[in-house]
Amino acid sequence: YVDFLPEDEFTKLVTSDPTTRSEEDKKQLQREAGVLRALGLIQGATDLGDAANALRGSGVVAFYSPTTERVKVRGTELTPSVRTTLAHELTHALQDQHFDLDRLQKAKTATEQESFRTLAEGDAVTVEKAYVDQMSEADRKQAQEEEKAGSQQAKAGTSSVPDVLVASFAAPYEFGPPFIAALKADGGTAKVDDAFRAPPKAEGQIIDITDYLDHQPVRSVDKPQVDGAVGDQQDLGWLT
């Protein structure tokens, strides 16, 4: 099922209310900001919750929910650009029917979760591009114009968001398609299906697909010795 929603209703769905954040949520956002600040990836006082809202509120035009098994679309008009977006989101619905996208939330680590998301988005972007290729020239041109306008609007809405967060948000859509192309070159669509059944465990296997194809184990890193209390502990992942 596909639900076409007015702008304000859709935005409310993809963003969170800052006033409802729990104390633990606030502390976690502060810890994550501290890590990025320590690495020199953000500067000054940055509210990651507000930044995430800006990214989702401006950058998301539709989404598929494995929980409800419905596609939600920003806007109520079925334009050529929206049709290309539907090709993408309905691919996620098909993935869910065959491979259970709820597994994304059950991943053991953040890097496993991000790797599986990159696989899913890469497949959806590949199908979306194939759909665009078979559109009429007039529809393709209109879709490109609509997407350009939408991109400019999204850029304006995220102008205050740190570059590292914008890059992280876009990463699955950028790194996913080359990974899918390499899988298809190695064994066609069946190889992509196999990847959904046994997805990569780390982002490094996405970036260097030979590690995945050769079944190289994910290398662990020794925990550093610290001379004080540990405030937080996490796997930063290859991209970070």
Side-chain angles (χ1 to χ4, degrees), residues 71-123:
V71 174
K72 305 288 187 180
V73 179
R74 184 196 300 268
T76 57
E77 186 178 354
L78 189 60
T79 66
S81 176
V82 173
R83 294 210 313 272
T84 66
T85 299
L86 282 177
H88 181 113
E89 299 305 331
L90 290 173
T91 300
H92 287 319
L94 185 64
Q95 294 166 349
D96 191 33
Q97 289 170 7
H98 287 273
F99 305 113
D100 183 17
L101 292 188
D102 269 330
R103 294 158 56 204
L104 182 65
Q105 306 304 324
K106 301 171 185 175
K108 295 179 181 178
T109 65
T111 191
E112 280 190 33
Q113 189 178 64
E114 196 63 18
S115 299
F116 187 58
R117 179 182 290 111
T118 302
L119 170 68
E121 294 298 352
D123 184 40

Side-chain angles (χ1 to χ4, degrees), residues 63 83 90 116 153 156 174 176 200 205 226 234:
F63 67 91
R83 294 210 313 272
L90 290 173
F116 187 58
Q153 185 177 355
E174 296 294 334
Q205 293 181 325
V226 298
Q234 59 181 293

Side-chain angles (χ1 to χ4, degrees), residues 1-194:
Y1 295 96
V2 178
D3 301 317
F4 295 86
L5 304 176
E7 177 77 23
D8 56 346
E9 190 175 338
F10 182 87
T11 301
K12 188 175 181 179
L13 270 182
V14 297
T15 57
S16 61
D17 183 353
T19 62
T20 63
R21 290 175 195 155
S22 67
E23 288 303 314
E24 181 53 38
D25 286 341
K26 293 176 183 177
K27 289 179 181 178
Q28 181 60 30
L29 289 170
Q30 290 172 354
R31 286 195 294 266
E32 291 177 2
V35 170
L36 293 174
R37 193 175 295 110
L39 293 171
L41 295 173
I42 62 174
Q43 297 178 348
T46 300
D47 188 316
L48 296 189
D50 289 349
N53 274 344
L55 282 170
R56 290 194 292 263
S58 299
V60 177
V61 295
F63 67 91
Y64 169 76
S65 169
T67 304
T68 64
E69 298 182 349
R70 301 180 80 94
V71 174
K72 305 288 187 180
V73 179
R74 184 196 300 268
T76 57
E77 186 178 354
L78 189 60
T79 66
S81 176
V82 173
R83 294 210 313 272
T84 66
T85 299
L86 282 177
H88 181 113
E89 299 305 331
L90 290 173
T91 300
H92 287 319
L94 185 64
Q95 294 166 349
D96 191 33
Q97 289 170 7
H98 287 273
F99 305 113
D100 183 17
L101 292 188
D102 269 330
R103 294 158 56 204
L104 182 65
Q105 306 304 324
K106 301 171 185 175
K108 295 179 181 178
T109 65
T111 191
E112 280 190 33
Q113 189 178 64
E114 196 63 18
S115 299
F116 187 58
R117 179 182 290 111
T118 302
L119 170 68
E121 294 298 352
D123 184 40
V125 170
T126 299
V127 172
E128 178 184 345
K129 289 182 176 178
Y131 178 80
V132 170
D133 287 344
Q134 59 80 54
M135 294 174 76
S136 69
E137 184 176 351
D139 279 354
R140 191 183 308 122
K141 183 177 180 180
Q142 184 178 341
Q144 290 170 345
E145 291 174 351
E146 292 171 3
E147 288 167 8
K148 183 179 179 180
S151 178
Q152 291 173 341
Q153 185 177 355
K155 189 174 182 179
T158 58
S159 58
S160 62
V161 177
D163 289 345
V164 63
L165 300 182
V166 176
S168 296
F169 182 80
Y173 306 91
E174 296 294 334
F175 289 108
F179 183 75
I180 294 296
L183 288 174
K184 287 188 173 181
D186 189 66
T189 302
K191 197 73 174 184
V192 178
D193 292 347
D194 289 343

